[in-house]
PDB file of all heavy atoms in Angstrom:
ATOM      1  N   GLY A  68      64.148 122.181  91.384  1.00  0.00           N
ATOM      2  CA  GLY A  68      65.298 121.651  92.113  1.00  0.00           C
ATOM      3  C   GLY A  68      65.722 120.284  91.603  1.00  0.00           C
ATOM      4  O   GLY A  68      66.916 120.002  91.479  1.00  0.00           O
ATOM      5  N   ALA A  69      64.760 119.419  91.304  1.00  0.00           N
ATOM      6  CA  ALA A  69      65.092 118.098  90.772  1.00  0.00           C
ATOM      7  C   ALA A  69      65.772 118.225  89.409  1.00  0.00           C
ATOM      8  O   ALA A  69      66.702 117.479  89.101  1.00  0.00           O
ATOM      9  CB  ALA A  69      63.837 117.239  90.667  1.00  0.00           C
ATOM     10  N   LEU A  70      65.332 119.180  88.614  1.00  0.00           N
ATOM     11  CA  LEU A  70      65.963 119.386  87.309  1.00  0.00           C
ATOM     12  C   LEU A  70      67.394 119.901  87.474  1.00  0.00           C
ATOM     13  O   LEU A  70      68.311 119.436  86.795  1.00  0.00           O
ATOM     14  CB  LEU A  70      65.131 120.358  86.477  1.00  0.00           C
ATOM     15  CG  LEU A  70      65.582 120.560  85.035  1.00  0.00           C
ATOM     16  CD1 LEU A  70      65.578 119.245  84.266  1.00  0.00           C
ATOM     17  CD2 LEU A  70      64.682 121.574  84.353  1.00  0.00           C
ATOM     18  N   ARG A  71      67.598 120.854  88.400  1.00  0.00           N
ATOM     19  CA  ARG A  71      68.957 121.351  88.662  1.00  0.00           C
ATOM     20  C   ARG A  71      69.869 120.232  89.134  1.00  0.00           C
ATOM     21  O   ARG A  71      71.020 120.115  88.708  1.00  0.00           O
ATOM     22  CB  ARG A  71      68.929 122.456  89.724  1.00  0.00           C
ATOM     23  CG  ARG A  71      68.872 123.842  89.163  1.00  0.00           C
ATOM     24  CD  ARG A  71      69.136 124.913  90.215  1.00  0.00           C
ATOM     25  NE  ARG A  71      68.523 124.695  91.512  1.00  0.00           N
ATOM     26  CZ  ARG A  71      67.258 124.992  91.809  1.00  0.00           C
ATOM     27  NH1 ARG A  71      66.463 125.508  90.905  1.00  0.00           N
ATOM     28  NH2 ARG A  71      66.793 124.770  93.018  1.00  0.00           N
ATOM     29  N   LEU A  72      69.371 119.388  90.019  1.00  0.00           N
ATOM     30  CA  LEU A  72      70.176 118.282  90.519  1.00  0.00           C
ATOM     31  C   LEU A  72      70.470 117.268  89.415  1.00  0.00           C
ATOM     32  O   LEU A  72      71.554 116.679  89.387  1.00  0.00           O
ATOM     33  CB  LEU A  72      69.469 117.619  91.697  1.00  0.00           C
ATOM     34  CG  LEU A  72      69.517 118.423  92.993  1.00  0.00           C
ATOM     35  CD1 LEU A  72      68.501 117.892  93.995  1.00  0.00           C
ATOM     36  CD2 LEU A  72      70.913 118.404  93.588  1.00  0.00           C
ATOM     37  N   ALA A  73      69.532 117.072  88.506  1.00  0.00           N
ATOM     38  CA  ALA A  73      69.776 116.162  87.382  1.00  0.00           C
ATOM     39  C   ALA A  73      70.869 116.723  86.475  1.00  0.00           C
ATOM     40  O   ALA A  73      71.710 115.976  85.963  1.00  0.00           O
ATOM     41  CB  ALA A  73      68.492 115.937  86.594  1.00  0.00           C
ATOM     42  N   HIS A  74      70.875 118.028  86.277  1.00  0.00           N
ATOM     43  CA  HIS A  74      71.948 118.656  85.495  1.00  0.00           C
ATOM     44  C   HIS A  74      73.296 118.468  86.198  1.00  0.00           C
ATOM     45  O   HIS A  74      74.314 118.220  85.555  1.00  0.00           O
ATOM     46  CB  HIS A  74      71.672 120.145  85.276  1.00  0.00           C
ATOM     47  CG  HIS A  74      70.602 120.415  84.281  1.00  0.00           C
ATOM     48  ND1 HIS A  74      70.749 120.178  82.941  1.00  0.00           N
ATOM     49  CD2 HIS A  74      69.350 120.894  84.439  1.00  0.00           C
ATOM     50  CE1 HIS A  74      69.644 120.501  82.306  1.00  0.00           C
ATOM     51  NE2 HIS A  74      68.772 120.937  83.206  1.00  0.00           N
ATOM     52  N   LYS A  75      73.298 118.571  87.511  1.00  0.00           N
ATOM     53  CA  LYS A  75      74.533 118.358  88.255  1.00  0.00           C
ATOM     54  C   LYS A  75      74.982 116.901  88.157  1.00  0.00           C
ATOM     55  O   LYS A  75      76.177 116.621  88.078  1.00  0.00           O
ATOM     56  CB  LYS A  75      74.356 118.777  89.715  1.00  0.00           C
ATOM     57  CG  LYS A  75      74.348 120.283  89.887  1.00  0.00           C
ATOM     58  CD  LYS A  75      74.306 120.683  91.341  1.00  0.00           C
ATOM     59  CE  LYS A  75      74.462 122.196  91.453  1.00  0.00           C
ATOM     60  NZ  LYS A  75      74.593 122.629  92.847  1.00  0.00           N
ATOM     61  N   ALA A  76      74.032 115.977  88.167  1.00  0.00           N
ATOM     62  CA  ALA A  76      74.376 114.566  88.011  1.00  0.00           C
ATOM     63  C   ALA A  76      75.014 114.328  86.639  1.00  0.00           C
ATOM     64  O   ALA A  76      75.997 113.585  86.524  1.00  0.00           O
ATOM     65  CB  ALA A  76      73.134 113.682  88.183  1.00  0.00           C
ATOM     66  N   LEU A 112      76.265 119.595  95.933  1.00  0.00           N
ATOM     67  CA  LEU A 112      74.909 119.072  95.767  1.00  0.00           C
ATOM     68  C   LEU A 112      73.956 119.526  96.876  1.00  0.00           C
ATOM     69  O   LEU A 112      72.745 119.643  96.657  1.00  0.00           O
ATOM     70  CB  LEU A 112      74.931 117.545  95.735  1.00  0.00           C
ATOM     71  CG  LEU A 112      75.602 116.901  94.536  1.00  0.00           C
ATOM     72  CD1 LEU A 112      75.742 115.399  94.756  1.00  0.00           C
ATOM     73  CD2 LEU A 112      74.841 117.187  93.268  1.00  0.00           C
ATOM     74  N   MET A 116      69.871 120.286  97.035  1.00  0.00           N
ATOM     75  CA  MET A 116      69.166 119.203  97.710  1.00  0.00           C
ATOM     76  C   MET A 116      68.343 119.738  98.873  1.00  0.00           C
ATOM     77  O   MET A 116      67.229 119.277  99.109  1.00  0.00           O
ATOM     78  CB  MET A 116      70.181 118.164  98.198  1.00  0.00           C
ATOM     79  CG  MET A 116      69.578 116.849  98.534  1.00  0.00           C
ATOM     80  SD  MET A 116      68.879 116.086  97.041  1.00  0.00           S
ATOM     81  CE  MET A 116      67.700 115.014  97.794  1.00  0.00           C
ATOM     82  N   VAL A 119      65.096 121.092  97.539  1.00  0.00           N
ATOM     83  CA  VAL A 119      64.182 120.010  97.159  1.00  0.00           C
ATOM     84  C   VAL A 119      63.610 119.331  98.402  1.00  0.00           C
ATOM     85  O   VAL A 119      62.418 119.036  98.459  1.00  0.00           O
ATOM     86  CB  VAL A 119      64.899 118.986  96.245  1.00  0.00           C
ATOM     87  CG1 VAL A 119      64.042 117.763  96.013  1.00  0.00           C
ATOM     88  CG2 VAL A 119      65.255 119.636  94.917  1.00  0.00           C
ATOM     89  N   ASN A 139      57.122 111.636  95.882  1.00  0.00           N
ATOM     90  CA  ASN A 139      57.982 110.499  96.208  1.00  0.00           C
ATOM     91  C   ASN A 139      58.530 109.857  94.936  1.00  0.00           C
ATOM     92  O   ASN A 139      59.708 109.492  94.872  1.00  0.00           O
ATOM     93  CB  ASN A 139      57.217 109.461  97.026  1.00  0.00           C
ATOM     94  CG  ASN A 139      56.880 109.941  98.417  1.00  0.00           C
ATOM     95  OD1 ASN A 139      57.384 110.956  98.887  1.00  0.00           O
ATOM     96  ND2 ASN A 139      55.995 109.224  99.083  1.00  0.00           N
ATOM     97  N   SER A 140      57.688 109.718  93.919  1.00  0.00           N
ATOM     98  CA  SER A 140      58.134 109.149  92.645  1.00  0.00           C
ATOM     99  C   SER A 140      59.197 110.021  91.993  1.00  0.00           C
ATOM    100  O   SER A 140      60.154 109.503  91.406  1.00  0.00           O
ATOM    101  CB  SER A 140      56.950 108.987  91.685  1.00  0.00           C
ATOM    102  OG  SER A 140      56.045 108.042  92.178  1.00  0.00           O
ATOM    103  N   LEU A 141      59.026 111.325  92.096  1.00  0.00           N
ATOM    104  CA  LEU A 141      60.026 112.236  91.537  1.00  0.00           C
ATOM    105  C   LEU A 141      61.368 112.053  92.246  1.00  0.00           C
ATOM    106  O   LEU A 141      62.418 112.004  91.599  1.00  0.00           O
ATOM    107  CB  LEU A 141      59.555 113.684  91.661  1.00  0.00           C
ATOM    108  CG  LEU A 141      60.538 114.744  91.172  1.00  0.00           C
ATOM    109  CD1 LEU A 141      60.786 114.593  89.678  1.00  0.00           C
ATOM    110  CD2 LEU A 141      60.013 116.129  91.474  1.00  0.00           C
ATOM    111  N   MET A 142      61.343 111.916  93.553  1.00  0.00           N
ATOM    112  CA  MET A 142      62.595 111.721  94.282  1.00  0.00           C
ATOM    113  C   MET A 142      63.232 110.367  93.939  1.00  0.00           C
ATOM    114  O   MET A 142      64.450 110.268  93.830  1.00  0.00           O
ATOM    115  CB  MET A 142      62.361 111.838  95.789  1.00  0.00           C
ATOM    116  CG  MET A 142      62.056 113.262  96.217  1.00  0.00           C
ATOM    117  SD  MET A 142      63.273 114.483  95.680  1.00  0.00           S
ATOM    118  CE  MET A 142      64.693 113.998  96.630  1.00  0.00           C
ATOM    119  N   MET A 143      62.417 109.351  93.742  1.00  0.00           N
ATOM    120  CA  MET A 143      62.960 108.049  93.332  1.00  0.00           C
ATOM    121  C   MET A 143      63.587 108.143  91.940  1.00  0.00           C
ATOM    122  O   MET A 143      64.649 107.568  91.686  1.00  0.00           O
ATOM    123  CB  MET A 143      61.862 106.979  93.352  1.00  0.00           C
ATOM    124  CG  MET A 143      61.392 106.622  94.745  1.00  0.00           C
ATOM    125  SD  MET A 143      62.686 105.968  95.816  1.00  0.00           S
ATOM    126  CE  MET A 143      63.005 104.425  95.013  1.00  0.00           C
ATOM    127  N   ALA A 144      62.938 108.877  91.054  1.00  0.00           N
ATOM    128  CA  ALA A 144      63.481 109.052  89.705  1.00  0.00           C
ATOM    129  C   ALA A 144      64.783 109.846  89.755  1.00  0.00           C
ATOM    130  O   ALA A 144      65.743 109.524  89.038  1.00  0.00           O
ATOM    131  CB  ALA A 144      62.459 109.755  88.813  1.00  0.00           C
ATOM    132  N   PHE A 145      64.857 110.857  90.592  1.00  0.00           N
ATOM    133  CA  PHE A 145      66.105 111.606  90.739  1.00  0.00           C
ATOM    134  C   PHE A 145      67.211 110.701  91.273  1.00  0.00           C
ATOM    135  O   PHE A 145      68.349 110.758  90.822  1.00  0.00           O
ATOM    136  CB  PHE A 145      65.934 112.817  91.655  1.00  0.00           C
ATOM    137  CG  PHE A 145      67.260 113.339  92.121  1.00  0.00           C
ATOM    138  CD1 PHE A 145      68.100 113.982  91.231  1.00  0.00           C
ATOM    139  CD2 PHE A 145      67.686 113.136  93.420  1.00  0.00           C
ATOM    140  CE1 PHE A 145      69.353 114.420  91.639  1.00  0.00           C
ATOM    141  CE2 PHE A 145      68.923 113.578  93.833  1.00  0.00           C
ATOM    142  CZ  PHE A 145      69.759 114.220  92.938  1.00  0.00           C
ATOM    143  N   THR A 146      66.879 109.856  92.245  1.00  0.00           N
ATOM    144  CA  THR A 146      67.858 108.920  92.790  1.00  0.00           C
ATOM    145  C   THR A 146      68.386 108.004  91.691  1.00  0.00           C
ATOM    146  O   THR A 146      69.580 107.694  91.650  1.00  0.00           O
ATOM    147  CB  THR A 146      67.231 108.099  93.933  1.00  0.00           C
ATOM    148  OG1 THR A 146      66.778 109.006  94.946  1.00  0.00           O
ATOM    149  CG2 THR A 146      68.221 107.127  94.531  1.00  0.00           C
ATOM    150  N   GLY A 147      67.506 107.606  90.772  1.00  0.00           N
ATOM    151  CA  GLY A 147      67.934 106.792  89.631  1.00  0.00           C
ATOM    152  C   GLY A 147      68.927 107.528  88.746  1.00  0.00           C
ATOM    153  O   GLY A 147      69.901 106.947  88.253  1.00  0.00           O
ATOM    154  N   VAL A 148      68.688 108.829  88.536  1.00  0.00           N
ATOM    155  CA  VAL A 148      69.616 109.637  87.736  1.00  0.00           C
ATOM    156  C   VAL A 148      70.966 109.734  88.441  1.00  0.00           C
ATOM    157  O   VAL A 148      72.022 109.562  87.817  1.00  0.00           O
ATOM    158  CB  VAL A 148      69.032 111.048  87.470  1.00  0.00           C
ATOM    159  CG1 VAL A 148      70.077 111.982  86.893  1.00  0.00           C
ATOM    160  CG2 VAL A 148      67.844 110.948  86.525  1.00  0.00           C
ATOM    161  N   MET A 149      70.946 109.992  89.732  1.00  0.00           N
ATOM    162  CA  MET A 149      72.200 110.110  90.473  1.00  0.00           C
ATOM    163  C   MET A 149      72.942 108.779  90.500  1.00  0.00           C
ATOM    164  O   MET A 149      74.166 108.740  90.344  1.00  0.00           O
ATOM    165  CB  MET A 149      71.920 110.618  91.889  1.00  0.00           C
ATOM    166  CG  MET A 149      73.167 110.985  92.649  1.00  0.00           C
ATOM    167  SD  MET A 149      74.216 112.211  91.839  1.00  0.00           S
ATOM    168  CE  MET A 149      73.317 113.700  92.177  1.00  0.00           C
ATOM    169  N   ASP A 150      72.211 107.678  90.681  1.00  0.00           N
ATOM    170  CA  ASP A 150      72.846 106.355  90.655  1.00  0.00           C
ATOM    171  C   ASP A 150      73.486 106.081  89.300  1.00  0.00           C
ATOM    172  O   ASP A 150      74.603 105.560  89.225  1.00  0.00           O
ATOM    173  CB  ASP A 150      71.827 105.253  90.971  1.00  0.00           C
ATOM    174  CG  ASP A 150      71.479 105.180  92.446  1.00  0.00           C
ATOM    175  OD1 ASP A 150      72.199 105.782  93.278  1.00  0.00           O
ATOM    176  OD2 ASP A 150      70.475 104.522  92.773  1.00  0.00           O
ATOM    177  N   ALA A 151      72.784 106.421  88.229  1.00  0.00           N
ATOM    178  CA  ALA A 151      73.333 106.208  86.889  1.00  0.00           C
ATOM    179  C   ALA A 151      74.600 107.037  86.686  1.00  0.00           C
ATOM    180  O   ALA A 151      75.577 106.568  86.095  1.00  0.00           O
ATOM    181  CB  ALA A 151      72.292 106.555  85.824  1.00  0.00           C
ATOM    182  N   ALA A 152      74.603 108.255  87.204  1.00  0.00           N
ATOM    183  CA  ALA A 152      75.789 109.103  87.085  1.00  0.00           C
ATOM    184  C   ALA A 152      76.955 108.532  87.889  1.00  0.00           C
ATOM    185  O   ALA A 152      78.099 108.539  87.432  1.00  0.00           O
ATOM    186  CB  ALA A 152      75.468 110.526  87.538  1.00  0.00           C
ATOM    187  N   ALA A 170      67.313 106.799  82.842  1.00  0.00           N
ATOM    188  CA  ALA A 170      66.984 107.404  84.136  1.00  0.00           C
ATOM    189  C   ALA A 170      66.506 108.839  83.955  1.00  0.00           C
ATOM    190  O   ALA A 170      65.573 109.285  84.636  1.00  0.00           O
ATOM    191  CB  ALA A 170      68.199 107.350  85.057  1.00  0.00           C
ATOM    192  N   ARG A 173      62.921 108.823  82.833  1.00  0.00           N
ATOM    193  CA  ARG A 173      62.032 108.536  83.970  1.00  0.00           C
ATOM    194  C   ARG A 173      61.844 109.787  84.830  1.00  0.00           C
ATOM    195  O   ARG A 173      60.745 110.054  85.305  1.00  0.00           O
ATOM    196  CB  ARG A 173      62.598 107.395  84.810  1.00  0.00           C
ATOM    197  CG  ARG A 173      62.450 106.059  84.170  1.00  0.00           C
ATOM    198  CD  ARG A 173      62.890 104.941  85.092  1.00  0.00           C
ATOM    199  NE  ARG A 173      62.837 103.679  84.382  1.00  0.00           N
ATOM    200  CZ  ARG A 173      63.807 102.777  84.386  1.00  0.00           C
ATOM    201  NH1 ARG A 173      64.891 102.983  85.104  1.00  0.00           N
ATOM    202  NH2 ARG A 173      63.686 101.663  83.710  1.00  0.00           N
ATOM    203  N   LEU A 174      62.917 110.537  85.021  1.00  0.00           N
ATOM    204  CA  LEU A 174      62.819 111.781  85.787  1.00  0.00           C
ATOM    205  C   LEU A 174      61.910 112.774  85.064  1.00  0.00           C
ATOM    206  O   LEU A 174      61.071 113.422  85.697  1.00  0.00           O
ATOM    207  CB  LEU A 174      64.202 112.391  86.010  1.00  0.00           C
ATOM    208  CG  LEU A 174      64.206 113.705  86.789  1.00  0.00           C
ATOM    209  CD1 LEU A 174      63.792 113.478  88.238  1.00  0.00           C
ATOM    210  CD2 LEU A 174      65.567 114.365  86.720  1.00  0.00           C
ATOM    211  N   ALA A 177      58.338 111.729  85.626  1.00  0.00           N
ATOM    212  CA  ALA A 177      57.910 112.007  87.004  1.00  0.00           C
ATOM    213  C   ALA A 177      57.683 113.504  87.205  1.00  0.00           C
ATOM    214  O   ALA A 177      56.716 113.906  87.861  1.00  0.00           O
ATOM    215  CB  ALA A 177      58.957 111.486  87.998  1.00  0.00           C
TER     216      ALA A 177
END
Side-chain angles (χ1 to χ4, degrees):
L70 186 59
R71 265 192 319 278
L72 286 165
H74 286 290
K75 285 185 174 187
L112 293 171
M116 197 64 203
V119 171
N139 291 348
S140 295
L141 177 64
M142 290 307 293
M143 291 300 292
F145 163 71
T146 301
V148 169
M149 189 56 77
D150 284 346
R173 286 186 185 133
L174 179 68

